[in-house]
Amino acid sequence: MSEMSTQTFGEARPATAQEIGGEPGLGEIDNAHEPIGIVTEIAGSGSKIALDLQRLNECAADLDPSIALAGQVGSQVKVRVGNNWLLASVRTQRQDNDTPGGIVASVDFLGEGDEEKLTGRIHSFRRGVTRYPIPGALVYPATNSDLRQIYASDGRACIQVGNVYPTKDIRAGIYVDAFLGKHFALLGSTGTGKSTSAALILHRICEAAPEGHVLMIDPHGEYSAAFRNTGLILDVSNLQMPYWLMNFEEHCEVFLTSSGNDRQVDADILAKCLYQARMKNRLAEQMGKITVDAPIPYLLSDLSTIIQNEMGKLDKASTSAPYMRIKNKIDEMKSDPRYQFMFSGMLVGDTMSEFLAKIFRLPARGKPISIVDVSGVPSDITSTVVAVLSRLVFDFAIWAREEKTRPVLLVCEEAHRYVPSEKHADDSSVGRVLSRIAKEGRKYGISLGLITQRPSDLAEGVLSQCGTIISMRLNNDRDQAFVKAAMPEGSRGFLDSIPALRNRECIICGEGVSIPIRATFDDLEEFKRPASEDPSFTQLWNGGGGEEEMVVRTVQRWRAQGR
């Protein structure tokens, strides 16, 4: 050991391995019980410590992987305060010019635990710090057994998703109630294993809660393969979402094509005619007074007829052009086969209860997740379809308050498309609905899960509402800065390693974990993975045969538009 470590640290250390009955070899240092540095400066959330380079080199050869990484950026160290151990994460390192062989490091305090009298290990770990150390306190490496105690479940329901870095046997757990109760976000650049990790987390949740209620919006049709056995797969062929479930704002998005002043004129006409169409239903007659937003079935042919009649009135406030614009758009929707999943004449019956029970999995019957594949939905109404589904989740939760609460998890893949930042905002209803769920959903038992590769394109307020953030590798500087701003202060040391994460590695911090974790996700079985693997160009471009038939089949599907 160096002169600094023997003189400074030699007096006030815990019991060595020999003193507690261990048997290290002749001349071998018991790294777990020998200090590696001292505290030099204390601040509220983070502090400075001085590390001895020779001691770090000695620890690097230790068989315990946690001790071997002691003092490195992202590793954990511990400091004794009275009868407790404080755990800290190393954020930065730099050479100490005043002390040869010395290193100055910034650390963030994560939490504290009690000391086991015989072995000096940590137990009963909890987040937060009640008593800070004083400058001069000794710093020790955190061992594998320490981390096992720290990351052990405290008895709350949890799902295990991988191993804590750098260990191979300490499991990384997420507390389900806190994870879902305060929303979560899964972030990562393309190719980092984000889709597979999302599938892993949802599989674990479904295994833990086979009678759960999960609705996932899948814009690329990736997740159908992953949940074919454990969920209900809905796409344009079997979604059958009634058009009359749309509220007035969503009707405007679909049926109005004008802009500027003309749009307001068209909206006033549509509101008047839509209200009359809804009032023709017996349900509306029984209820007495309804609003234009009420999910009352009506016939598209009735709406067209009412618009035609209004257009023929002599006392109308404008020319016939606005009426013709709306009527032509409605007729186009009715006749276009791409819109049949929503605007079919077969969807006029009052199937609202059955539709909600189907998409919310009420009852689940062992298939707690419904995957809504919107990849086949025409692009001009995709955001409206997502808005309707999201609003149904929110409205159902509000009107079911007096019932026994059935929480619903809404997972939105490619979330930046639907809840864009102000710079990319397109004033669509889906952004407002998802923003409202992020802000108010927790009160009504709605959990929101956002998955995105571009967090910087997300609305700021939405990401800040996510209590748990799972960040995989992010290559873009703006994305990294955006995520750091949304993370709690104590996890900043972990966040600095985001650009250096390998595939399937992540940083988890927030309400769903006891303390921030760097973890490696488990391998997922082949049949549970989403269809999101990158194609092998060399393999596919070195084989041939059957191309003409493949092109013919593709053209047929193309022309049929998925029918």
Side-chain angles (χ1 to χ4, degrees), residues 127 467 469 483-492 495 509-510 516:
R127 184 188 289 187
I469 294 179
V483 173
K484 286 180 183 179
M487 294 270 200
E489 178 71 25
S491 58
R492 297 290 166 87
L495 299 179
C509 67

Side-chain angles (χ1 to χ4, degrees), residues 390-458:
S390 305
R391 184 181 51 77
L392 288 177
V393 172
F394 191 74
D395 287 352
F396 180 79
I398 288 178
W399 296 109
R401 278 176 298 182
E402 295 179 9
E403 306 294 332
K404 186 179 179 184
T405 311
R406 301 282 185 190
V408 175
L409 167 60
L410 174 64
V411 183
C412 197
E413 172 70 271
E414 297 282 0
H416 60 274
R417 285 173 50 175
Y418 304 119
V419 210
S421 58
E422 288 182 14
K423 187 172 66 174
H424 300 94
D426 55 1
D427 200 37
S428 62
S429 57
V430 65
R432 286 189 287 277
V433 171
L434 289 173
S435 295
R436 192 174 179 199
I437 290 175
K439 292 168 187 168
E440 305 172 35
R442 188 171 52 86
K443 306 171 192 170
Y444 303 110
I446 307 172
S447 177
L448 182 63
L450 301 175
I451 305 171
T452 179
Q453 57 190 328
R454 291 306 307 269
S456 59
D457 288 347
L458 264 181

Side-chain angles (χ1 to χ4, degrees), residues 47-333:
S47 302
K48 295 271 195 302
I49 61 173
L51 297 170
D52 178 10
L53 182 58
Q54 184 171 330
R55 280 292 295 123
L56 295 187
N57 289 334
E58 290 165 354
C59 288
D62 201 282
L63 296 177
D64 185 323
S66 302
I67 294 177
L69 283 177
Q72 292 188 24
V73 172
S75 68
Q76 278 81 51
V77 295
K78 58 183 183 181
V79 182
R80 181 188 278 120
V81 181
N83 294 325
N84 293 342
W85 282 112
L86 273 187
L87 189 78
S89 171
V90 179
R91 186 195 291 196
T92 63
Q93 278 185 349
R94 65 176 173 82
Q95 190 171 352
D96 185 0
N97 296 326
D98 299 328
T99 308
I103 294 172
V104 176
S106 299
V107 296
D108 298 311
F109 291 119
L110 302 173
E112 61 188 5
D114 301 329
E115 181 186 12
E116 219 172 72
K117 292 300 179 191
L118 182 63
T119 62
R121 291 176 185 159
I122 298 175
H123 70 94
S124 303
F125 185 81
R126 57 241 171 228
R127 184 188 289 187
V129 178
T130 54
R131 183 178 168 192
Y132 287 94
I134 57 173
L138 301 179
V139 177
Y140 297 88
T143 66
N144 238 32
S145 56
D146 289 332
L147 295 183
R148 187 170 281 106
Q149 287 291 326
I150 289 162
Y151 293 116
S153 172
D154 58 10
R156 289 181 285 170
C158 75
I159 54 170
Q160 295 185 339
V161 295
N163 293 325
V164 175
Y165 177 85
T167 70
K168 295 284 189 289
D169 57 349
I170 298 177
R171 299 294 285 157
I174 298 176
Y175 297 116
V176 180
D177 290 336
F179 181 66
L180 298 182
K182 296 182 180 174
H183 310 316
F184 69 91
L186 173 58
L187 318 170
S189 295
T190 302
T192 57
K194 186 171 76 278
S195 299
T196 307
S197 303
L200 170 70
I201 291 169
L202 291 175
H203 275 302
R204 294 283 193 269
I205 290 173
C206 292
E207 288 162 10
E211 292 301 310
H213 313 288
V214 184
L215 171 62
M216 182 177 203
I217 309 295
D218 177 12
H220 301 305
E222 294 178 311
Y223 293 89
S224 302
F227 293 95
R228 188 165 284 116
N229 299 325
T230 54
L232 174 69
I233 311 302
L234 299 167
D235 56 24
V236 290
S237 67
N238 64 347
L239 179 59
Q240 294 181 310
M241 185 172 83
Y243 56 87
W244 47 262
L245 284 175
M246 295 189 294
N247 63 16
F248 175 62
E249 183 183 11
E250 291 149 3
H251 271 87
C252 289
E253 284 186 3
V254 174
F255 289 150
L256 302 189
T257 55
S258 53
S259 58
N261 293 334
D262 286 346
R263 191 172 182 84
Q264 187 56 53
V265 173
D266 291 8
D268 293 341
I269 293 169
L270 181 60
K272 183 179 179 181
C273 297
L274 178 60
Y275 178 75
Q276 290 180 42
R278 290 200 196 276
M279 281 301 293
K280 289 174 75 74
N281 191 293
R282 284 200 307 272
L283 270 174
E285 293 173 7
Q286 293 166 11
M287 295 172 68
K289 199 155 181 69
I290 65 164
T291 69
V292 72
D293 287 326
I296 303 289
Y298 71 89
L299 291 169
L300 281 172
S301 56
D302 282 348
L303 181 59
S304 288
T305 304
I306 291 167
I307 292 172
Q308 184 83 41
N309 294 340
E310 289 290 323
M311 182 172 60
K313 289 183 178 178
L314 296 175
D315 61 345
K316 60 181 183 291
S318 61
T319 66
S320 300
Y323 298 89
M324 288 304 298
R325 279 197 298 263
I326 302 171
K327 187 175 182 302
N328 289 341
K329 186 65 177 178
I330 294 170
D331 293 341
E332 178 190 325
M333 290 283 188

Side-chain angles (χ1 to χ4, degrees), residues 161 174 468-471 506-510 513 515-519:
V161 295
I174 298 176
T468 307
I469 294 179
I470 303 172
S471 180
C506 68
I507 306 293
I508 311 175
C509 67
V513 287
I515 58 170
I517 300 176
R518 178 174 173 179

